[in-house]
Amino acid sequence: MRVLITGCYGQVGSCLTQQLANNVNIAVCALDREHLDITDQDAVNAAVAQFEPSIIINAAAHTAVDKAEEEIDLSYAINRDGPKYLAEAAQSVGAAILHISTDYVFEGNKEGEYVETDTTSPQGIYGESKLAGEIAVVEACEKHIILRTAWVFGENGNNFVKTMLRLGENRDSLSIVGDQFGGPTYAGDIANVLIKIASLIAQGDTVEYGVYHYSGLPHVSWFEFADAIFDIAVEQGFLDKKPSLTSIVTDQYPTPAKRPSNSRLSTEKISQAFSVEESNWLVALEKIKGYMA
């Protein structure tokens, strides 16, 4: 198996690179944006032609949700055009492409969990550009897996866990949104699932290409997630004391981009298709030392 990874220094990309590093049976070409600008079609074609991957995993994205409202062209270049070029290049060499997407493609107000066939209706530029990327990948490459996820956290990059730990060191009290719900998802678990799917494809197993959801359980609010983060941080001695937490509603914390009130994703389809378990974010938080670095 020959795997080309884009966005290799991001939350998921770094986990992918680390998990694949010691496998002698897998050739890996891990590239960050300095070494491959996925918005440059000629550069993408050249990289793919030179490495000749059997699998392309696109972990590159413009994920700054609020900045996306102003950086519209950049958002579409990275989240739509880049995936399109990668998918076209994958098709040209007979490779499969695994592309990471987001819960933001939905309106975010459904009762219950979102399934893969639910109607998409993004509420901001980030979600719109990511949905455009999904469509581009599907149209450009026959062998495609779209993996929608939510509330990603890990040892690398910026995320909610790191933000809470940083604030907890300096603040005695914090107000956290309590009326938005989702499934925190450990980046290392996303990487593990992508590698499993890639391996099945490379082995020639019958794979149902298409869109899948993968995120963590149990579903919680941001307030409940923060509460668990601080409990574990104090328990493991990384914070001296837990700040006082107050649950607030979304309207009390206005942001340039609208956030979904419901980011719950059903993982039933991916569990049945690939025999994978949902991400247990409570277990992942036990590695909290890694997020403190």
Side-chain angles (χ1 to χ4, degrees), residues 132-293:
E134 288 188 14
I135 295 169
V137 168
V138 170
E139 292 178 346
C141 186
E142 296 174 7
K143 296 189 289 186
H144 62 267
I145 297 288
I146 308 292
L147 191 73
R148 293 178 183 148
T149 189
W151 292 24
V152 181
F153 69 95
E155 293 86 351
N156 296 285
N158 297 317
N159 55 65
F160 185 77
V161 175
K162 288 189 174 184
T163 298
M164 289 300 102
L165 293 174
R166 184 177 67 251
L167 292 174
E169 288 182 314
N170 303 309
R171 306 245 190 117
D172 293 326
S173 62
L174 292 168
S175 297
I176 309 294
V177 172
D179 62 349
Q180 297 172 15
F181 297 88
T185 316
Y186 176 51
D189 291 338
I190 298 172
N192 185 59
V193 168
L194 289 169
I195 292 169
K196 181 170 186 177
I197 296 173
S199 299
L200 292 172
I201 294 170
Q203 292 167 11
D205 288 15
T206 301
V207 170
E208 181 184 347
Y209 292 106
V211 178
Y212 291 88
H213 291 172
Y214 182 76
S215 67
L217 288 175
H219 291 138
V220 288
S221 67
W222 288 115
F223 175 84
E224 291 167 327
F225 189 26
D227 194 50
I229 291 167
F230 289 124
D231 280 344
I232 293 173
V234 172
E235 177 185 309
Q236 296 193 4
F238 294 107
L239 288 179
D240 293 332
K241 64 176 182 177
K242 179 179 178 179
S244 173
L245 301 181
T246 301
S247 179
I248 61 173
V249 297
T250 298
D251 289 345
Q252 293 175 274
Y253 187 72
T255 55
K258 182 181 179 182
R259 264 58 174 179
S261 59
N262 178 18
S263 294
R264 302 178 183 96
L265 300 177
S266 169
T267 58
E268 183 177 350
K269 180 182 176 182
I270 198 169
S271 296
Q272 292 180 350
F274 299 110
S275 299
V276 299
E277 296 181 358
E278 67 278 350
S279 177
N280 188 324
W281 57 267
L282 282 165
V283 171
L285 279 183
E286 294 295 334
K287 310 171 186 176
I288 207 160
K289 181 178 180 181
Y291 312 120
M292 297 288 284

